[in-house]
């Protein structure tokens, strides 16, 4: 992955045996009529839309960019870190998960940044991944792993330990663990009816619901499991469908090694990064029914100019996509 600075030395890893879930093939979807929109830098990892119809994304060098629907871009701020998941709050602030700086809030009018969360239970927040807000102003956010920063995201996958989590930031500023033991917690959204959060676990290849209301309040139930690809950031469309950015098909080598002797993965981690198992970039996004978890629509394609979809948002009559590995966003008509 691109980086805005020299990658720090590799940390030690402590892998464990882990058996990946079974694989259930998703439907084959047609390619989309895709329009690629260049960005002024690399790795726009997530994309969200504000009430004015402008898009927002964050680049690998820390810049936060406003993108007008016609493709014109304006750099509004610089976190000085690595911005990942984004969310437009009810008060119009842009909430930013930054792997190096924690959970931030941006005033889009002034470009002023404010730090909201840097630690959880006295531990530094390592890999703030995605964020959303409920109707009462409560903010929820995920941490992919409590052990490694974004630069070494592969370490978390190779270790195969469930060190990700879901957390809650209350209006009074207090932070509370909600769900722990997650396998690379990632995308996060509120269902259209506000009854639950839906969150993705990239390594576990599944979507789950954390119930906010009703008889199951405070518990987790699985929504879509055994996915044949790796879910990343997610969003709730105006029609209630849960759109999921599928960054890649299964990384076969990583899943083959996971249940085997941990020493094999320790040896693998010592190799240069270019020799580690990696994703296969493609244009892939799938919509799931928020109640049954059934896949109900999607796009799927291979292109030379765009792929490795890590973010998705519905804006007007378009589906916008972001990418970790290309210096661009893209959009297409919303699939039925």
């Amino acid at each position: 992955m691109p980086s805005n600075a020299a990658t720090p030395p590799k940390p030690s890893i402590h892998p464990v045996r882990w058996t990946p879930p079974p694989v259930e093939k998703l439907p084959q979807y047609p390619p989309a009529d895709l329009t690629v929109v260049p960005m002024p830098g690399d790795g726009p990892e997530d994309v969200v839309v504000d009430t004015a119809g402008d898009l927002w994304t964050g680049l690998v060098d820390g810049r936060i960019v406003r993108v007008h629907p016609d493709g014109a871009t304006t750099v509004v701020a610089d976190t000085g870190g690595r911005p990942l998941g984004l969310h437009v709050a009810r008060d119009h602030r842009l909430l930013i998960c930054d792997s190096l700086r924690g959970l931030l809030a941006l005033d889009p009018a002034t470009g002023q940044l404010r730090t909201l969360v840097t630690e959880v239970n006295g531990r530094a927040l390592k890999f703030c991944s995605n964020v959303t807000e409920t109707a009462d102003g409560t903010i929820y956010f995920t941490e992919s792993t409590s052990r490694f920063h974004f630069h070494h995201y592969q370490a978390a996958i190779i270790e195969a330990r469930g060190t990700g989590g879901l957390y809650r930031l209350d209006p009074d500023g207090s932070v509370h663990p909600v769900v722990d033991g997650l396998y690379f917690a990632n995308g996060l959204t509120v269902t259209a009816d506000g009854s639950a959060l839906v969150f993705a676990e990239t390594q576990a290849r599944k979507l789950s619901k954390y119930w906010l209301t009703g008889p199951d309040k405070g518990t987790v139930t699985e929504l879509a499991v055994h996915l044949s690809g790796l879910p990343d950031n997610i969003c709730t469309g105006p029609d209630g469908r849960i759109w999921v950015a599928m960054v890649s098909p299964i990384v076969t080598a990583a899943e083959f090694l996971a249940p085997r002797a941990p020493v094999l993965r320790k040896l693998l981690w010592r190799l240069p990064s270019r020799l580690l198992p990696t994703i296969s970039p493609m244009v892939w996004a799938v919509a799931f029914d928020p109640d049954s978890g059934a896949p109900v629509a999607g796009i799927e394609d291979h292109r030379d100019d765009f792929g490795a979809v890590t973010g998705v948002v519905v804006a007007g009559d378009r589906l916008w996509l972001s990418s970790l590995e290309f210096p661009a966003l893209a959009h297409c008509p919303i699939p039925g």
Side-chain angles (χ1 to χ4, degrees):
M1 292 183 186
S3 175
N4 61 329
T7 302
K10 284 184 177 182
S12 298
I13 66 169
H14 303 285
V16 294
R17 291 180 187 268
W18 178 68
T19 301
V23 179
E24 296 177 7
K25 287 290 291 181
L26 287 164
Q28 182 81 34
Y29 293 108
D33 181 13
L34 204 67
T35 299
V36 177
V37 181
M39 290 294 103
D42 289 328
E45 198 268 349
D46 197 13
V47 59
V48 295
V49 63
D50 64 21
T51 55
D54 288 335
L55 289 302
W56 292 82
T57 192
L59 305 179
V60 73
D61 60 10
R63 287 178 293 165
I64 303 296
V65 181
R66 179 192 284 119
V67 184
H68 302 284
D70 64 2
T73 61
T74 304
V75 175
V76 177
D78 189 335
T79 69
R82 200 332 174 183
L84 298 171
L86 310 172
H87 179 74
V88 177
R90 296 176 309 138
D91 61 6
H92 308 298
R93 292 181 303 167
L94 183 68
L95 304 179
I96 304 167
C97 286
D98 191 292
S99 177
L100 301 180
R101 293 196 53 196
L103 181 61
L104 313 175
L106 169 69
D107 182 334
T110 65
Q112 184 175 19
L113 286 163
R114 178 188 170 200
T115 301
L116 301 181
V117 180
T118 59
E119 61 179 41
V120 176
N121 287 345
R123 172 187 62 78
L125 191 61
K126 280 289 185 72
F127 199 140
C128 192
S129 189
N130 207 275
V131 59
T132 194
E133 182 190 35
T134 55
D136 64 358
T138 302
I139 294 171
Y140 291 84
F141 61 96
T142 57
E143 183 180 34
S144 293
T145 169
S146 61
R147 288 183 37 76
F148 308 101
H149 286 299
F150 170 81
H151 295 107
H152 293 121
Y153 76 97
Q154 291 168 305
I157 301 298
I158 293 173
E159 267 202 346
R161 291 177 178 268
T163 60
L166 171 66
Y167 304 96
R168 185 182 78 240
L169 172 62
D170 287 343
D172 64 6
S174 59
V175 179
H176 307 275
V178 176
V179 184
D180 60 11
L182 302 181
Y183 285 85
F184 212 89
N186 211 322
L188 180 65
T189 189
V190 183
T191 57
D193 63 5
S195 65
L197 302 173
V198 177
F199 62 89
E201 291 176 78
T202 301
Q203 187 166 26
R205 293 190 276 102
K206 69 178 181 179
L207 308 177
S208 299
K209 275 186 172 181
Y210 174 78
W211 292 96
L212 300 171
T213 63
D216 295 321
K217 180 179 179 180
T219 67
V220 175
T221 58
E222 294 177 333
L223 179 64
V225 299
H226 306 164
L227 301 178
S228 54
L230 306 179
D232 205 295
N233 292 324
I234 65 180
C235 79
T236 301
D239 60 2
R241 293 185 296 182
I242 306 298
W243 277 98
V244 180
M246 304 296 286
V247 66
S248 168
I250 292 170
V251 180
T252 305
E255 298 218 345
F256 173 80
L257 288 170
R260 288 165 172 78
V263 67
L264 296 175
R265 280 172 284 146
K266 278 195 171 187
L267 294 172
L268 177 68
W269 182 237
R270 295 176 185 175
L271 297 175
S273 295
R274 68 180 184 277
L275 299 179
L276 297 179
T278 188
I279 62 174
S280 300
M282 62 183 295
V283 181
W284 195 11
V286 181
F288 293 84
D289 183 278
D291 299 315
S292 68
V296 292
I299 58 172
E300 190 173 344
D301 199 4
H302 290 272
R303 294 174 60 114
D304 293 331
D305 57 351
F306 192 78
V309 176
T310 48
V312 59
V313 70
V314 177
D317 62 352
R318 314 295 290 179
L319 189 70
W320 281 78
L321 310 170
S322 58
S323 170
L324 199 64
E325 296 201 347
F326 288 81
L329 301 179
H331 61 82
C332 65
I334 299 171

